[in-house]
Amino acid sequence: MAKKVLKFGGTSVGSIDRIVHAAKIVKKEHDRGNEVIVVVSAMAGTTNNLITHSESISKKFNKRELDVLLASGEQVASALIAGALNNLGVKSKSWMNWQIPILTEGEHTNSRIVNMKVKGINDYLSEGGVAVIPGFQGISKSGDITSIGRGGSDATAVAIAKIFDTDSCEIYTDVEGVYSSDPKKIPVAKKINKISYEEMLELSSLGTKVMQPSAVQTAMMYDIPLQVKSTFTEQKGTEITNQDNIDYTKVVTGVAYSKDDAKITLIGVEDKPGVAADIFEPLSKNEINVDMVIQNISADGKKTDLTFTIKRQDKNTAASLLKNNKKIKYETMQMNDKVSKISIVGAGMVATPGITYKMFRSLAEEKINILAISTSEIKVSVIIDEELTIRALKKLHKTFKLD
Ligand code: ADP
Ligand code: ASP
Ligand code: MG
């Protein structure tokens, strides 16, 4: 007998038929004698619809109320799964975030799970019941409903695996696992059998939606292996695990993309010590993260250009902070938010020289201009024109033999 967490994403519970199908998967595990905790997302599209409702009242909708609103999506799915299990003859019950409770810390819409009470649920499991828990939410110390960021049901599943000390954590989704690139955009992408936490964390932070970054980070921190698999087929999925368990034959494991960035160029800034610090100070004070930075050498030793990228959602705030700060002097500001970030990720890069060159050369062969670059030990990211995203993904996929 094993104790398992089974997490079902939005598409996996996107209709009543799919909920019944997910309940059958749970029943199968339960029939094998396993103790099962189910974590559910809201039905596909629900969270987006709720956000649209709030925005039609105000773009600055109160965040406490937004959390109350968003949490309702997972509440609906939890009750439907538990009800479907009952209907299949399986003893099952749903718990809401405040009933368990799932304690969180941090601000509304971006909290993190810090603890959960286990006794009630553990007792229920040992009496043969299946516990159904809503993903993506919790309550704060003061008793307010909170949410933990988009895609956060993955993080709920991992937190439950840790706090309930389960034997496995299975992430059921609408694709058969983690692929070398988004299989919906690059049909020749290949499923990866095993991937390290480090690589998965890079890939998800760089836009690979299949796992939420903070879920991977927690799994890595506590060495909780994850299995990503399909709700709709019985194929073996992907194991996300410790690097020691992986044999690397490929230098690059995957290619990720995101369209979350905007690029700002300040033309004609003074070329002297302290100028970059003055520019980034107001951004940092307003919690705007600067990702890539390029500063040209100045031809005359007096003026230069500074390019950097930030999250697209921060572009207006960043522009007005720079315009209105008297300490910051430049001739013109250029903003480009029609860009995408393409990244290659692979633990094998550490020991293989020439990967960055190979990436740049293959983009050049496609006449794709690189607008900004950043690298770390196991990834290289570039900013390019958004229109060229798919062309770049296909080319890099081929160059690094991932097809
Ligand atoms: P869920 O609702 O189950 O949480 P998500 O929509 O959050 O599912 O994540 C699954 C989606 O991630 C897939 O449908 C796929 O389009 C996308 N995706 C992006 N990159 C990858 C990748 N490298 N491997 C697998 N899926 C990916
Ligand atoms: N329903 C939430 C979202 O759409 C959480 C999740 O699906 O993981 O972001
Ligand atoms: Mg998801």
Side-chain angles (χ1 to χ4, degrees), residues 39-219:
V39 175
V40 264
S41 289
M43 294 169 78
T46 303
T47 310
N48 286 345
N49 283 342
L50 294 170
I51 291 175
T52 308
H53 287 328
S54 74
E55 286 178 350
S56 48
I57 290 175
S58 163
K59 286 261 183 233
K60 291 192 175 145
F61 194 82
N62 181 293
K63 286 196 169 175
R64 179 191 181 278
E65 299 313 319
L66 186 58
D67 275 349
V68 176
L69 181 69
L70 298 188
S72 69
E74 273 71 13
Q75 174 161 348
V76 170
S78 299
L80 288 171
I81 284 266
L85 282 164
N86 289 330
N87 203 43
L88 294 171
V90 179
K91 174 172 160 173
S92 176
K93 186 171 133 180
S94 65
W95 271 262
M96 293 302 98
N97 51 17
W98 52 271
Q99 289 173 312
I100 300 172
I102 301 174
L103 279 177
T104 62
E105 273 176 4
E107 65 209 60
H108 278 293
T109 73
N110 196 22
S111 295
R112 64 190 172 280
I113 296 174
V114 290
N115 212 345
M116 267 177 239
K117 202 165 162 192
V118 296
K119 184 158 187 328
I121 288 175
N122 273 339
D123 287 350
Y124 190 71
L125 297 177
S126 50
E127 289 158 15
V130 170
V132 182
I133 296 179
F136 176 58
Q137 55 198 271
I139 64 164
S140 66
K141 222 164 40 183
S142 57
D144 287 318
I145 289 179
T146 54
S147 70
I148 61 171
R150 294 306 305 270
S153 301
D154 293 337
T156 306
V158 176
I160 288 176
K162 158 86 181 80
I163 294 167
F164 284 82
D165 194 21
T166 65
D167 300 298
S168 74
C169 183
E170 301 174 17
I171 309 290
Y172 281 87
T173 186
D174 61 352
V175 287
E176 283 181 3
V178 180
Y179 283 69
S180 52
S181 198
D182 186 346
K184 291 192 178 151
K185 295 274 183 298
I186 308 292
V188 291
K190 280 243 166 65
K191 187 165 66 187
I192 301 165
N193 292 328
K194 275 189 184 181
I195 185 168
S196 66
Y197 298 123
E198 288 80 1
E199 288 175 304
M200 192 65 236
L201 184 57
E202 285 283 10
L203 284 172
S204 19
S205 311
L206 294 164
T208 299
K209 200 184 159 201
V210 67
M211 280 301 302
Q212 191 224 25
S214 71
V216 182
Q217 198 171 26
T218 310

